[in-house]
Amino acid sequence: MSEATASTRPTRTPTITPCLWLSERAGDVATRYAALFSDPATSPVDGPATSSAHSAAQSGDANGGDTSIRYVTPIPATPAGSSGGEVAALRLAGQPVLVMSTNNGPPATANPSISFFVRFDPALVADASERLGRLWRELANGGKVLMELGEYAYSPLYGWVEDRHGVSWQLFTPPPDAEPRPTVMVSLLFTDMDGTAASASAFYRAVFPGSQEAFTARLADVMPEARDGTLTEHGSGERVMYSDFRLGETWFVAMDGGSEHGFAFNEAISLMVECDTQDEIDHYWGALSAVPEAEICGWCRDRFGVTWQVAPSLMHDVLAEGDPARVLRHVEALQKMKKIELAGLAGA
């Protein structure tokens, strides 16, 4: 991060929103996810026993947060080349998520480099294992199991599944001595050299105010033979097996996966930081954008390959309002920019 960027570091604590760019209509995907996390039969929500998904969504989550859809808004096609589509904003157990679809499809396919950790804490959620199993079956239906659901050294019950939309979920119950965490956390899997997860999390914490380092477990912590730098079949001692940390208001998991996975970050799942001022936009853009050719309409790519959207908070208000003419004006204005300039949105 440059000296100029550091000197204008925002003081407002941000919330980071994962954005899923999928082939299916955004509203349909959002409705399905909201139902999965709102229905007491398949949800970590510890609300009153009711068959009403809406009532359960409003009841809150014993691990913290609600499940609800904020809006589903059509995006018009534009003469400048936007094919049009749909954007849906929702919350899953308190974690904001954006789903978008375009009529010509996404430029890439989602993969497990970014996934969602879903925590069923027996200390907070009644029948945690049973609820986890029900959500697992719903997500696995039409999807693909990446790691079988079962007992592992790090969790009494854990499984990794890719759902029918290509989005990956890691469901788990924490061990009894685990520290509290939100129900849903965003997970980053770095398929590069060992130690990248630690470097990335330190970089991100320096960028986002209100951040916190939490827990890190390296291979050397669980395999003594790797402590002297010896390369084992599982990697070097610097490989991060699991870590979690908070960026602003949002909790993340980060791990080193090694190049054997054969996938990497792409635009199908990006991370959005909403900015109220031009100073905030300038700070995050200056810190995060490391690939000039990837810059477009507020989208950029960082030094680790993760795609970000440095977006004006105003755009959420425009989409939530849903006025087609105003949405079109804003989309057309954004198409003319790389880094967002709020002055260019004035009056749109």
Side-chain angles (χ1 to χ4, degrees), residues 61-73:
D61 172 12
N63 282 352
D66 72 294
T67 295
S68 56
I69 295 179
R70 180 178 173 187
Y71 60 77
V72 178
T73 301

Side-chain angles (χ1 to χ4, degrees), residues 80-97:
S82 171
S83 68
E86 201 167 63
V87 175
L90 68 157
R91 297 179 74 88
L92 298 179
Q95 171 60 51
V97 177

Side-chain angles (χ1 to χ4, degrees), residues 110-128:
N111 65 57
S113 59
I114 298 184
S115 61
F116 293 94
F117 259 72
V118 185
R119 176 189 180 105
F120 290 77
D121 192 339
L124 298 174
V125 180
D127 305 321

Side-chain angles (χ1 to χ4, degrees), residues 17 70-71 87 89 98 272 274 312-321:
T17 302
R70 180 178 173 187
Y71 60 77
V87 175
L98 202 69
M272 174 183 288
E274 293 181 41
S313 306
L314 171 65
M315 196 64 199
H316 256 321
D317 297 333
V318 171
L319 292 171
E321 179 186 281

